Amino acid sequence: MKKQSIKGRLVIVIAIAFTLLISLSSIFTIKSFKNEFKETMQVETSNKVQLLNDFIENHLKTPINLVESTASKVTKVTTEEEKVALQEQLKLIGGSVEGILGLHAAFDGDRILYSSENLQLKSDYNANTRDWYIEAKKKSGEIVITAPYVDALTGNLIFGISKTTSDGDGVVTLDVSLDFLKEILPKITIGKQGYAFVFDQQGTVLYHPSIEQGQSIMDDDMYSRFMEEQQLEYDKDGEKHFTQLSQ
């Protein structure tokens, strides 16, 4: 079974940027010192990114193992008795791990989403047409991590971990909250005023100390410059800002 690293699956979705605020009267007035500072910042940024990757790696081990285990056990259900038994099985498994928002299963030709949660879905809901189902079927046997999206029920940003069932007739998926970023990101600092923030490739903020989660920065002029140049240096409120992108 082909299995990418957790880092490889998530880091392509998440970009980490570190912003350091420095007085205009400080080291940026000396070119050689400025260059030395940038080099130091790049090294420290790499170290902080590795710290975050390790945290994500450890955080996702349990939910990924849960999806793999469930996918190996679940088979397509046809009778009402089997459907009820599957719902109870998902509730039992899903309730055993803290931080999981929902464990679900769906099968080819069956629009129903079997879930550990008591979901109130629209009458026209079809699990077979959902992105997580389609992506998992395209990469049968692999763990697939979806890009962050807004949960239809809670309105919060979440992402999914999915895998096809062992018989290939369905998909097991798990909803995971992005709140774990709030646990680690505030602890990642550079100097006295440096901080980290995270956004996805569509420019949606996943974590920022002063910008609301889910807000788009795609239309910000600085966003396109930032993504193209990988770093920015600019003045704001009488201070020199230096932002370094690392993925």
Side-chain angles (χ1 to χ4, degrees), residues 35-138:
N35 292 336
E36 182 179 341
F37 165 76
K38 286 185 178 181
E39 291 177 3
T40 301
M41 172 122 179
Q42 289 171 348
V43 172
E44 190 167 357
T45 296
S46 296
N47 292 337
K48 300 296 186 180
V49 170
Q50 184 59 53
L51 175 65
L52 181 57
N53 282 333
D54 290 344
F55 179 84
I56 292 173
E57 187 90 21
N58 290 326
H59 183 83
L60 293 186
K61 279 181 180 179
T62 297
I64 284 179
N65 289 339
L66 187 63
V67 168
E68 290 184 322
S69 175
T70 306
S72 69
K73 299 174 183 176
V74 168
T75 56
K76 190 171 184 177
V77 292
T78 54
T79 68
E80 287 303 316
E81 291 78 8
E82 289 175 339
K83 293 177 181 180
V84 171
L86 175 59
Q87 294 272 139
E88 293 303 316
Q89 181 183 11
L90 293 174
K91 288 180 181 180
L92 181 62
I93 299 173
S96 65
V97 180
E98 185 178 355
I100 289 176
L101 301 180
L103 178 64
H104 322 287
F107 305 97
D108 296 348
D110 184 353
R111 62 191 303 155
I112 297 175
L113 180 68
Y114 302 94
S115 175
S116 62
E117 308 302 306
N118 296 317
L119 302 178
Q120 300 296 322
L121 300 173
K122 295 182 179 180
S123 59
D124 61 350
Y125 182 91
N126 187 346
N128 292 173
T129 64
R130 310 303 291 182
D131 288 344
W132 54 264
Y133 194 92
I134 295 172
E135 288 184 33
K137 292 291 288 186
K138 286 180 179 178

Side-chain angles (χ1 to χ4, degrees), residues 5-16:
S5 68
I6 297 172
K7 174 182 175 181
R9 287 192 298 269
L10 274 188
V11 175
I12 59 174
V13 175
I14 298 177
I16 314 300

Side-chain angles (χ1 to χ4, degrees), residues 2 24 38 56 59 79 136 151 157 169 190 222 229 247:
K2 182 179 178 182
L24 285 173
K38 286 185 178 181
I56 292 173
H59 183 83
T79 68
D151 180 42
L157 275 177
D169 288 335
I190 298 179
M222 295 186 66
E229 300 173 16
Q247 323 191 61

